[in-house]
Amino acid sequence: MTSTDDGFGFGALAIPAYGPSLLFGLGEGAMLPVLPLSARDVGASVAIAATMVMLINVGSLIFNVPSSIITDRYGERHAIIGASIVGVLASLLFLVGHEVWIYATGAVLYGISASVFMLARQSYLTEAVPATHRARALSTLGGVMRIGVFVGPFIGAAAMSLWHLAGAYVVSTAALALAGVLGATLKELPHEAESRRKAAGELADVTVRSTLHDYRRVFLTVGMGVLLVSAIRATRQAVIPLWAEHLSLSPTTASLIYGISGGIDMLVFYPAGKVMDVYGRRWVTVPSMLVMAVSMMAIPLTHGAVTLCLVTCVLGFGNGIGAGMVMTLGADFSPERGRAPFLGIWRELSDAGSTIGPGVLAGVTAVLSLGAGVIVSGATGLGAAAVMWRSVPTRGKAPERSDDLTGRSGTPPTGGDVTPPLEEEPLRPVKR
C-alpha cells in the first residue's frame, strides 16, 4: 500500500501518520482488559470496576468539542503530541494508583487523550490525502487502530508475566510515549500556519454554535446515522461475552470467540476503503449495517460455541468492512473553514451512540431478556442502514474549496443545508 494508480502514495504517511495510531491502539488494548481488575484489587465493587471503562467514553464524550478548538488553534501535530502526553499521564496514574478515585481520574484523562488524538488524526488525513483516496486513508486509520487494540492484550499479557497487572500499564505508557514521538515527526500542512494567523481575524466567526446552525441538516440526517452506527458497534462488544456466558461457555472460550471475530474485523478494512473511493460511500455503509444487524439478531439463535463463533465472525466482517466510514463521512461533509469544530460535533454524535447503545441493551435486558435486548440492538443496525441509504450520496466528495459551498462570510447560501452533491464521475483530488 505504497502507491495508487494515479501516483498518490501512502508511503510518506506510513510512519508519521499511521504509526502513532497503531501505537495508541496498542496501548489502549493493553490497558482495557486490566483496568477493571485493578479497580477490584483496591476494593471496588464489580459495578464500580465496570464503570472504569465507561469513564473513558465519558472523558471522550465531554471533550470532543474542546478537542476541536485545541486542534483548530494549535494544529494537528501539536494536538497529537499533547494528547500523547495526557495519555501517558493517565497510564502513569493507573500504574501507581492505590485508590479507586485515582483509577477513575486516569480513565477520564485517557478518554480526553483519545478524543484529541483521534480528532487530530482525522483532521490531518482529511487535509493531507486527495479526496480520491480519502476513504482508503481513513479506513486504514481505523484499521491500524484495530490492529493495535487486537495486539495490545497479547503484549500486555507478556508484560504481566513479569510485573503482574502493572505490566499492562508499562506497555500502555511506553506505547503512548512513542506515539507522541512519532507524532512530532508529522509535517505541518501548508494551511495550518495561515489558519492560525487568521484565528483572531476573519475565521473568528466560525464557532461551534455557528457550525451547529449552518450544518444542522447534515447532523440531523447523516449524523443520526452515525449515532446509530456507533450504537450497534459498541453494543457488539458487550453482546458477544454476555451471550457466551448465557450459553455457559467458559471465559477462555468466550475470549477466543471474541478474538477470532476481532481478527476477521481487522482484515478487511483496506478493500472496503477502496470500494468507497471507487464506487461511493453507500456501497459500504449500507451493506456494513445490514450484515451487522442480521448477524446480531441471529445471535439469540445460536446454541453453542461453534454456532456463536460462526455468527460473530459474520458480525466482525460487517464491522470490518465499515472501518473508517464514520471518519470518511465526517471528512466528506466537513467544510474547509471550520473543519475542526465540525469534526468535534461529528465525534460527539459518534460517542453519544457508543454510550446509548449499551444502555439500550441493558435496559431491554432488564425489562425483558438478554435475547430481546440483542434483537433490539440488531434492529438499531437496520435503522442505521435505512438512514445511510437515504442520506449518503452514491458518490460524495468534499468540496475543493470552502467557497464551493459558502459565501465569503462563511455562511452557506441555503442556510446550512449543505450536503455533498450526487455525481456520476469519479472523485477528483483536492487541489492544494
Side-chain angles (χ1 to χ4, degrees):
M1 193 183 64
T2 58
S3 63
T4 52
D5 294 339
D6 64 359
F8 174 77
F10 283 98
L13 296 173
I15 294 178
Y18 294 120
S21 299
L22 177 66
L23 289 165
F24 200 96
L26 191 153
E28 186 177 16
M31 175 274 299
L32 282 177
V34 178
L35 182 56
L37 302 178
S38 296
R40 289 285 289 157
D41 271 0
V42 298
S45 66
V46 174
I48 294 297
T51 62
M52 291 297 116
V53 176
M54 184 193 74
L55 286 174
I56 296 177
N57 292 331
V58 170
S60 178
L61 185 66
I62 64 176
F63 211 75
N64 280 323
V65 172
S67 295
S68 70
I69 297 172
I70 290 171
T71 302
D72 202 32
R73 178 170 298 180
Y74 300 106
E76 289 89 349
R77 184 168 67 90
H78 290 96
I80 291 166
I81 295 171
S84 298
I85 292 172
V86 174
V88 167
L89 175 61
S91 295
L92 290 175
L93 288 177
F94 298 147
L95 186 60
V96 303
H98 296 290
E99 299 287 344
V100 174
W101 68 268
I102 296 178
Y103 289 109
T105 302
V108 173
L109 286 176
Y110 209 101
I112 290 172
S113 170
S115 173
V116 178
F117 189 90
M118 287 306 299
L119 189 138
R121 303 246 44 73
Q122 181 182 6
S123 179
Y124 186 89
L125 287 174
T126 300
E127 291 289 342
V129 177
T132 47
H133 303 83
R134 177 178 291 157
R136 274 167 282 187
L138 293 172
S139 293
T140 301
L141 177 62
V144 296
M145 282 286 291
R146 294 178 191 203
I147 291 172
V149 172
F150 179 80
V151 173
F154 297 101
I155 299 178
M160 284 190 288
S161 68
L162 299 176
W163 301 300
H164 192 50
L165 294 180
Y169 303 130
V170 170
V171 172
S172 181
T173 302
L176 268 63
L178 187 54
V181 172
L182 289 183
T185 66
L186 277 176
K187 293 181 179 179
E188 189 172 88
L189 296 173
H191 78 96
E192 290 183 8
E194 181 181 359
S195 294
R196 287 196 292 276
R197 283 196 301 268
K198 295 180 179 179
E202 65 180 82
L203 296 188
D205 61 328
V206 181
T207 64
V208 173
R209 177 176 295 183
S210 67
T211 301
L212 270 171
H213 176 269
D214 293 343
Y215 298 93
R216 60 190 179 277
R217 182 182 153 194
V218 175
F219 295 132
L220 290 173
T221 53
V222 187
M224 291 301 101
V226 165
L227 187 148
L228 294 173
V229 167
S230 299
I232 190 172
R233 283 177 164 179
T235 306
R236 158 187 167 270
Q237 297 176 331
V239 163
I240 296 175
L242 286 175
W243 194 257
E245 182 184 43
H246 177 77
L247 296 177
S248 301
L249 302 178
S250 68
T252 301
T253 302
S255 296
L256 182 61
I257 292 172
Y258 191 96
I260 293 173
S261 175
I264 299 294
D265 185 335
M266 69 179 187
L267 290 176
V268 293
F269 61 86
Y270 186 75
K274 187 167 185 178
V275 170
M276 280 196 283
D277 277 334
V278 175
Y279 297 103
R281 314 317 192 204
R282 194 189 290 173
W283 285 88
V284 165
T285 57
V286 175
S288 172
M289 289 299 99
L290 288 177
V291 171
M292 289 194 72
V294 172
S295 55
M296 178 85 81
M297 290 189 288
I299 285 179
L301 302 177
T302 62
H303 50 78
V306 174
T307 52
L308 179 60
C309 185
L310 290 174
V311 171
T312 56
C313 282
V314 178
L315 184 61
F317 175 80
N319 192 50
I321 62 174
M325 70 179 183
V326 170
M327 291 187 289
T328 300
L329 290 173
D332 286 344
F333 284 88
S334 64
E336 183 175 324
R337 294 182 59 199
R339 175 165 285 136
F342 182 98
L343 294 180
I345 298 167
W346 200 258
R347 280 193 52 80
E348 197 78 1
L349 291 168
S350 176
D351 284 351
S354 297
T355 304
I356 293 170
V360 171
L361 172 67
V364 176
T365 299
V367 174
L368 298 175
S369 66
L370 178 59
V374 174
I375 291 174
V376 170
S377 298
T380 303
L382 295 178
V387 174
M388 292 299 183
W389 175 263
R390 175 74 176 174
S391 305
V392 176
T394 52
R395 290 188 184 277
K397 78 180 187 71
E400 296 190 7
R401 292 179 55 84
S402 59
D403 294 342
D404 293 345
L405 293 180
T406 61
R408 299 179 67 87
S409 65
T411 303
T414 57
D417 295 344
V418 178
T419 56
L422 294 174
E423 53 181 53
E424 298 302 326
E425 58 182 299
L427 297 172
R428 301 190 303 275
V430 173
K431 295 178 182 178
R432 303 280 170 212

